[in-house]
Amino acid sequence: MEAINLPIKDFQTALLQIDRIKAAEMFKSIYLKAESFEPLEHLIMESLERIGVGWEEGQLSLSQVYMSGVICEELIENHKPKCESSYKKNPKIAIAVLQDHHALGKRIVYSVLKAGGYDLVDFGQGLSVEKIVEKTIEAELDILLISTLMLPSALKVKTVVESLRKNGSSVKIVAGGAPFRLDSSLWQKVNADADGKNGAHVIQIIEKFVEEGR
Amino acid sequence: MNSMERVMTALSYKEPDRVPIFLNLTITGAKELEMSIKDYFSSADNVVKGQLLMKNKYSNDMVTAFLYSAAEIEAWGGEVIFYEDGPPNSGEPFIKKIEDIFKMEIPNINNIAGLLKGLEIIKKLKKIVNEDTPIIGAVTAPFSLPVMQMGFEKYLELIYFRKDEFNQLMKINEEFCVAWANAQLEAGATAISYANPLASPTIVERDTYISTGFEVARKTIARIRGPVATNLASGIALPVMMDLIKTGTKAVAVSVKDNIDEAKRIANKKVAMIGNLDAIDMVNWDKEKTRKEVKELIKKAAPGGGFILSDNHGEIPWQVTENVLLEIAETVKEYGTYPIQVDE
C-alpha cells in the first residue's frame, strides 16, 4: 500500500476522539490488505507527528497526545507477533523523570517511541541526579531522555550532564518537559544535546543521532 | 489609593491610580528571610513576616496565604517533598487503585495541621492589613486535584472511560474544595485563587472539559462564599474564556501564550484579566528586558481597567532575581499610572 493512500486523517481523528475500537479496525484492515508492517508504522508515526505538531500549535490537548500514544502503543503490541520479527531498532535508550513524580510526559514519549519500533528502558520517576547518572552508566546507554516538570528539576539536568561527562560517558542527552517548552533555549543552557518537544520530535532526534554515529 | 481600592477599582473595569500588581511570591519569602524553604513554611509567623516584607519591597497589591499546592495533598494523607530551590511538590500518588476512590473520606480541615496553619496566616495577616490590602486564599480545583492524588495517567483513564469513579472523586473533591475555600474566606481572605490547570485546552481538549470539569467548576464556584479568580497555571485560556466566565469566576489568569489583545476583547467587562508575564522566562530577564515586557503588557492590557499585572504561572520561581522583581514594580509605577501613556 502506498503511503499516499493511507487513511492518516481518519486514523488521526479516531485517535483524537480516543476511539480505540475504530483505530484498531482501521489498523487491522490496513494490515490485512498490505500484509506488511511498514505502512502501519508509517500510519502511526505520521499521525502521531501531526498530533504532536497540533499540540505545539495549541490546537490539541496534552491528554489527546497521551491517549493517542497509548492507543498506538497497544496496537503495535497487539500486532507485533504477526509482523516482522526484526522489528526492534538499535540504539540503547532509556527515559527517566528527574526528581518529580509526575510521569505523564515520560509516558507519552515512551509510548510514541514504542509505537515507532524503539525498545527503550523506563528508569522510572522521582529519581535523583545521582540515581540517573548511576543507572545511565550501568546500562551503557547511547541516548538518555530526561523528562521534567518544574523549573528547578529542569535546571538540574545541567548537573546530570556534568556528572555523566566527568564519569566519561558520552551518552546523548535529550531534555524535555514544560520548562523546556516555555523557554526554547533552556536545553542549551543546561548543556543537553537536544530538546524533545514531543514524542515524534524525539524520534527525529534519535534518527539524527544514529545517522551521525554511523 | 490603597491596594484594596486599587484592585477593586480595576476589577470593576474602571481605571484606578495605577495598574495593580499581583506578584505571586511564595517561596521567595524564604530567600528574603534568609532561611530554607522548609523552615520558612514551618511557621505561620515566617510566612506573615515574608508576605508583609515582600508587599512593601515589591509594591505588591496583595498578600497571599498560599503556601504550596501539595499542602492539600498532605490533608489527604499524601507525601510532600521539599526542595532547596523550588516549590514543595507532591510525592508518589496515594490513590494506588481506581477502586479505592469509593473508600476515600473527605479530610476534616480542623484536623489538618497544614491547613490550620494556612488559616492562622490569614487571620494574622488580616489583623495587620485589615481592609487595606486583599488577602488571597487558594484552592486546587476538584477537577485538577486528582493529578496529585492519583497521577495523570490513571486520572485520564477516569476522565475518558470510568464515569462512575470520576463522578465519585469529583463529589468528594468538591466537598473538600468548598469547605477549604470557605474556611479561608471566614478566616479573613478577600478572594480565592482557584487553580484549575486541567480546564486549559493545553491539557484537556475543550469538548472533554465541557462534558466533565466545566460542570464541576460551575457547581463548586457557586458554593464558594466569596469572589473566585481562576488560574490555569500557564495553560492557554482564550479558547475557553467564555466557558470560564460561565463558571462564575470573577477573574481569569491568562497565559503568555494567549493573545492578550484578543483575551481583552473577549473578557471585556465580563471578567477581569490577570497576567501574563512569563514566569519561566523571567529567570533570564535583565532590567532592560523586564522594562520592555512590562511596558508592552501595560500598553496592551491596562487601558480601561479590568486588568491586574501578574505572572502567568501563579508562582514566581526561586531563580528570579530581586532586581527583576524591583524593576517590575518600578516600571509599573512609571508607565502604569492612569491614564496609560506608553510611548511606541
Side-chain angles (χ1 to χ4, degrees), chain A residues 18 20 55 58 60-64 66-67 99-104 107 150-152 155-156 182-183 189, chain B residues 81 83 85-87 89-92 147 152-153 156 160-161 201-205 257 280 283-284 317 319:
Chain A
I18 328 293
R20 281 182 159 125
W55 187 55
L60 301 173
S61 75
L62 183 65
S63 305
Q64 287 173 310
Y66 169 71
M67 293 306 294
Q99 292 186 328
D100 212 283
H101 284 271
H102 293 86
L104 190 76
R107 189 72 174 84
M150 315 286 272
L151 181 62
L155 296 171
K156 286 266 181 329
L182 292 165
D183 180 351
K189 291 171 197 153
Chain B
I81 301 170
Y83 299 102
D85 54 0
N89 201 354
S90 56
E92 275 195 54
V147 173
F152 213 150
E153 297 146 270
L156 285 175
Y160 289 114
F161 306 114
T202 302
I203 309 294
V204 173
E205 63 282 3
K257 292 193 183 293
I280 299 293
V283 171
N284 307 314
Q319 293 76 11

Side-chain angles (χ1 to χ4, degrees), chain B residues 166-202:
Chain B
F166 173 80
N167 290 336
Q168 174 64 15
L169 189 55
M170 290 304 105
K171 198 171 131 190
I172 57 174
N173 282 358
E174 180 187 323
E175 291 306 317
F176 173 72
C177 180
V178 169
W180 174 222
N182 286 336
Q184 292 178 74
L185 290 165
E186 279 160 27
T190 318
I192 297 294
S193 170
Y194 185 83
N196 198 8
L198 268 67
S200 167
T202 302

Side-chain angles (χ1 to χ4, degrees), chain A residues 117-151:
Chain A
Y118 288 92
D119 191 21
L120 72 162
V121 179
D122 183 354
F123 279 170
Q125 52 268 4
L127 298 174
S128 64
V129 168
E130 295 75 24
K131 200 74 195 164
I132 288 185
V133 170
E134 181 194 317
K135 280 173 168 278
T136 302
I137 291 168
E138 195 179 290
E140 297 179 341
L141 293 183
D142 298 310
I143 299 166
L144 171 65
L145 312 174
I146 303 178
S147 173
T148 61
L149 178 70
M150 315 286 272
L151 181 62

